[in-house]
Amino acid sequence: MLLDTRGTPLRSKAFHDTSYGWAPSAGNTDDYAAAIRQLTKRYVFMDADRIGIYSVFYRAGLQNFLERQDIYKVHIQGGCVMDARLIGASVVGDVWEGCEGPSEERCYPEDLAENLQGKLLVIHAINNHNAPCYPPATALRLLDALQRADKDFDMLMLPGTNESYGAYTTRRIWDYLVEHLAQEVPPKGVEFKASMF
């Protein structure tokens, strides 16, 4: 299934305008929540208590997870945690999030740390080709907020490699999903040759 929410490209101007000024709204929480509820009613094999997200790069998946703990039980932030206040190209934040920055209605995942109830794995490469745009500080701010909120989470910091590629990272992602959604012990010796991304 492919779900395209309000605010994403290839839609009308009115749809696209809903995310202008606040990029995470392109991954509209309400749209995904409504679709998931409808799908779990239609398909009996879908378990509404075992829904997880894997997202890469921009924070919409993480934002979605922390805003809707009533829907999602597991999230893997595979790839960089994005914070427009810290990236190398400040114009990104100015254009997509406004010069004023976040507000009560428009906050960053670190501001939602208190919401965490489910399982969270944060993956971040310490030094990769995206480091100027996604420095480790973006992930560390999130981890610090989670610690201050006394929340349990898991992290995988990778030295000098792109966290979206490779058999090791792919295996860790699948193992996390198997353990926390299927609630089974991940099988050993499974060989991954392809990347999740």
Side-chain angles (χ1 to χ4, degrees):
M1 180 196 81
L2 179 64
L3 176 64
D4 199 10
T5 63
R6 289 171 283 174
T8 49
L10 305 178
R11 305 292 292 268
S12 72
K13 178 83 164 65
F15 272 83
H16 197 61
D17 283 350
T18 65
S19 68
Y20 187 77
W22 190 241
S25 61
N28 192 289
T29 300
D30 295 333
D31 290 354
Y32 282 108
I36 288 168
R37 284 197 181 101
Q38 289 174 17
L39 288 167
T40 55
K41 285 179 183 173
R42 182 182 299 173
Y43 300 109
V44 294
F45 59 84
M46 288 185 69
D47 187 343
D49 294 323
R50 296 185 187 189
I51 297 174
I53 311 174
Y54 166 68
S55 64
V56 180
F57 294 113
Y58 203 75
R59 67 177 183 268
L62 180 56
Q63 192 104 7
N64 226 307
F65 173 70
L66 291 172
E67 287 177 353
R68 296 309 296 260
Q69 291 287 274
D70 58 320
I71 298 282
Y72 304 113
K73 309 307 177 194
V74 177
H75 177 64
I76 299 166
Q77 180 63 32
C80 311
V81 176
M82 195 277 189
D83 187 328
R85 298 166 297 184
L86 300 174
I87 63 175
S90 64
V91 69
V92 173
D94 295 348
V95 169
W96 295 106
E97 297 181 2
C99 296
E100 298 80 28
S103 65
E104 236 176 80
E105 298 80 34
R106 296 177 168 184
C107 52
Y108 286 82
E110 67 188 69
D111 303 314
L112 301 170
E114 287 282 352
N115 294 359
L116 180 62
Q117 297 171 22
K119 296 292 183 181
L120 172 64
L121 171 62
V122 178
I123 302 173
H124 196 100
I126 294 171
N127 185 22
N128 67 16
H129 69 278
N130 283 313
C133 288
Y134 303 94
T138 60
L140 296 176
R141 284 178 65 110
L142 170 67
L143 302 178
D144 180 58
L146 290 166
Q147 287 177 355
R148 282 186 279 111
D150 197 27
K151 299 295 182 177
D152 294 333
F153 61 92
D154 298 293
M155 67 178 181
L156 177 60
M157 298 297 272
L158 301 173
T161 181
N162 187 309
E163 68 282 359
S164 299
Y165 297 100
Y168 176 78
T169 308
T170 301
R171 179 183 65 77
R172 294 292 303 270
I173 290 166
W174 279 107
D175 284 355
Y176 203 78
L177 294 171
V178 167
E179 180 181 354
H180 296 296
L181 290 179
Q183 297 173 340
E184 296 179 7
V185 176
K188 299 295 181 190
V190 177
E191 185 178 354
F192 288 91
K193 295 183 178 178
S195 167
M196 288 284 288
F197 180 65

